[in-house]
């Protein structure tokens, strides 16, 4: 459970890096793809907040924080696209 929770946090962190172009791999993702990742990960991380293991809860909270940061990036990018 600890590894799975940590993977959720890492998944969103990597998704943010891809969304902002901060990867060396050249991988890109559309807003829709980025949102799809967040939509799948956030409910799982939310479930983990009720886990008996504090390390699992901490990783799930980190995942939710990463999701918030990711959404901030998307909103900021969308605002830049406005006329």
């Amino acid at each position: 459970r600890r590894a799975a929770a940590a993977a959720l946090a890492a998944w969103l962190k990597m998704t943010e890096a891809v969304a902002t172009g901060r990867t060396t791999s050249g991988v890109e993702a559309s807003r829709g793809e980025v949102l799809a990742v967040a939509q799948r990960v956030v409910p799982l991380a939310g479930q983990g907040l009720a886990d008996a293991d504090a390390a699992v809860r901490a990783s799930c909270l980190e995942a939710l924080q990463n999701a918030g940061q990711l959404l901030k990036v998307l909103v900021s990018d969308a605002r830049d696209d406005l006329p």
Side-chain angles (χ1 to χ4, degrees):
R1 292 188 332 266
R2 287 181 179 186
L8 293 175
W11 192 5
L12 286 170
K13 194 64 151 175
M14 181 53 68
T15 301
E16 180 191 348
V18 169
T20 58
R22 292 183 294 146
T23 65
T24 57
S25 65
V27 174
E28 296 179 1
S30 69
R31 275 194 193 115
E33 292 169 326
V34 170
L35 284 173
V37 170
Q39 286 176 323
R40 286 169 177 79
V41 173
V42 166
L44 297 173
Q47 290 175 5
L49 294 178
D51 197 276
D53 187 335
V56 171
R57 292 192 308 271
S59 290
C60 288
L61 181 58
E62 181 183 354
L64 293 173
Q65 290 171 328
N66 291 347
Q69 180 61 33
L70 179 59
L71 293 176
K72 177 183 171 188
V73 167
L74 290 178
V75 167
S76 179
D77 287 349
R79 187 178 26 190
D80 291 343
D81 291 343
L82 293 175

